[in-house]
Amino acid sequence: VPNSDVATRSTEERKADALAKLTAVNANVWVGSALPSGAVHLVPVSHTWNGTEVVVATGPGSPTVANITANPKVRLVLGETRDVVMIDAVLVSGVPALMPRRHRPMGLSPSPGWDPPTDDGDYVYLVPGPERIEVWREAEDLAGRTVMRSGSWMV
Amino acid sequence: VPNSDVATRSTEERKADALAKLTAVNANVWVGSALPSGAVHLVPVSHTWNGTEVVVATGPGSPTVANITANPKVRLVLGETRDVVMIDAVLVSGVPALMPRRHRPMGLSPSPGWDPPTDDGDYVYLVPGPERIEVWREAEDLAGRTVMRSGSWMV
C-alpha cells in the first residue's frame, strides 16, 4: 500500500534535481571505476557538466585514469546516501586529454566558475557519457527513480 | 611550504572521526564492488561496526552480494566528498549468511539501535574487514591521512 504521506518526486523534478547536482559549482562526484581484473577504485573527483556529459578533472597519474583507460564503464554518484543521483556512464573521449590547467579543452564548455583543484599544472579531463541515471532519496522514493535509460532522458 | 593556517588532524583524531562514522546509528556507507569482469557497482548500504569489521546488510538478490561473492575486495566510503573516510576491505565471512530480519547472526554484535531497512524479511549480512583506512577533508589534509595499514591501526 503506498504511503500517501510520503511526497515522491515526478520524473521532471528528479531530472531537475540531478541537473542541479551535476551543474553545481565546485562540487565533487564519487567516481567508481575498476580495472578489468576487478580491482575497485572509488574517490571524490572535481566535476562539471557540459550539457550532455559529465566532465571530471583529475591527475594524470591517478588510479581513476588508469582504470577508465582500461575499462571505460564507470559508476558516478552525486549527493548523500539518502539523496542519491546515480549514473552509469561510459567514457566518450577516445583518449583522455592531458593539458595545462589554464588551457581547458575546446568544446567541453565547463560551467562558469569551475576551477578544479590540483597540486600541479596538469589535468586529465575525462568525459563519461551517462547511459542510465537514477534519482532517489529513501525507500519510499525508489519507484520511478529512473530518469535516463540507454542514454536518453525519459522527460 | 605547509600552510600553518590549515588545521590538520592528528592520526588519533582521524581514527576517532573514522570510528564515529563507522558506529553512527542508522548511517549508510557507499559500497563499491566489482565483478571479476570489471563491472562496477556502487550503492549506499546500511551498516554498523562490530569492533573490528564493518557489517553491512543488503538484500540477497542485490548486485553487491553477487559481486562480493565473486570478488571479495571492496572499497567503502563514509562521509561527504570533502570529509572522507575511505576503506579498502576484504570480505571475511566465507559465505554470506542469509537469515530472517529478527535473527541477527551471533557474534556480529551490531551497534545498539541498528535497524537496517528492508522491504522483505531476508538479509544478507556481509562483513568486510578493513585492510587500509584513509581519513581526509581537503587537499591540505591529505598528508597523514592513513590511519590503518595492512589491517592494523597506526595508533
Side-chain angles (χ1 to χ4, degrees):
Chain A
V1 178
N3 181 350
S4 60
D5 290 341
V6 176
T8 60
R9 289 168 289 173
S10 68
T11 306
E12 289 84 350
E13 289 168 328
R14 292 174 203 249
K15 177 181 176 182
D17 290 345
L19 288 172
K21 285 191 170 66
L22 282 164
T23 58
V25 172
N26 286 329
N28 286 343
V29 58
W30 293 105
V31 178
S33 62
L35 287 174
S37 65
V40 184
H41 194 64
L42 171 55
V43 284
V45 178
S46 176
H47 79 91
T48 187
W49 174 249
N50 70 5
T52 48
E53 291 128 4
V54 186
V55 182
V56 302
T58 187
S62 70
T64 296
V65 170
N67 286 6
I68 205 169
T69 302
N71 173 17
K73 294 186 180 183
V74 293
R75 177 162 280 194
L76 312 176
V77 176
L78 299 149
E80 317 295 328
T81 59
R82 291 192 170 94
D83 183 16
V84 177
V85 173
M86 174 166 295
I87 303 173
D88 282 324
V90 179
L91 190 70
V92 297
S93 72
V95 178
L98 178 61
M99 61 199 70
R101 177 171 192 165
R102 304 206 175 282
H103 296 84
R104 290 173 183 156
M106 299 295 290
L108 289 184
S109 305
S111 303
W114 190 47
D115 187 25
T118 188
D119 292 332
D120 56 38
D122 288 332
Y123 274 85
V124 174
Y125 288 82
L126 303 170
V127 187
E131 295 288 323
R132 188 166 64 108
I133 302 180
E134 298 182 353
V135 180
W136 78 88
R137 289 187 180 129
E138 301 278 354
E140 295 79 8
D141 196 39
L142 278 170
R145 66 187 179 276
T146 305
V147 300
M148 176 182 284
R149 192 171 281 162
S150 302
S152 297
W153 293 105
M154 299 181 69
V155 284
Chain B
V1 178
N3 181 349
S4 59
D5 291 342
V6 176
T8 61
R9 290 168 289 172
S10 68
T11 307
E12 290 84 351
E13 289 167 328
R14 293 175 202 248
K15 177 182 176 182
D17 289 346
L19 287 172
K21 286 189 169 67
L22 283 165
T23 58
V25 172
N26 287 328
N28 286 344
V29 58
W30 293 106
V31 178
S33 62
L35 287 174
S37 65
V40 183
H41 193 64
L42 171 56
V43 285
V45 177
S46 176
H47 79 90
T48 188
W49 174 250
N50 71 5
T52 49
E53 290 127 4
V54 186
V55 182
V56 303
T58 187
S62 70
T64 296
V65 171
N67 287 5
I68 205 170
T69 302
N71 174 14
K73 293 187 179 182
V74 293
R75 177 163 280 194
L76 312 176
V77 175
L78 297 149
E80 318 294 331
T81 59
R82 291 194 170 93
D83 183 16
V84 177
V85 174
M86 175 167 295
I87 303 173
D88 283 323
V90 180
L91 191 69
V92 295
S93 71
V95 178
L98 176 62
M99 59 201 71
R101 177 170 191 164
R102 302 202 176 285
H103 297 83
R104 291 179 181 150
M106 298 295 290
L108 289 184
S109 306
S111 303
W114 190 47
D115 186 27
T118 185
D119 292 331
D120 57 36
D122 289 333
Y123 274 82
V124 173
Y125 288 81
L126 303 170
V127 187
E131 295 289 323
R132 188 167 63 109
I133 302 181
E134 298 181 353
V135 180
W136 79 90
R137 291 188 179 128
E138 302 278 355
E140 294 79 8
D141 196 38
L142 278 170
R145 65 188 180 275
T146 304
V147 299
M148 177 184 284
R149 193 171 281 161
S150 301
S152 297
W153 293 105
M154 297 179 70
V155 283

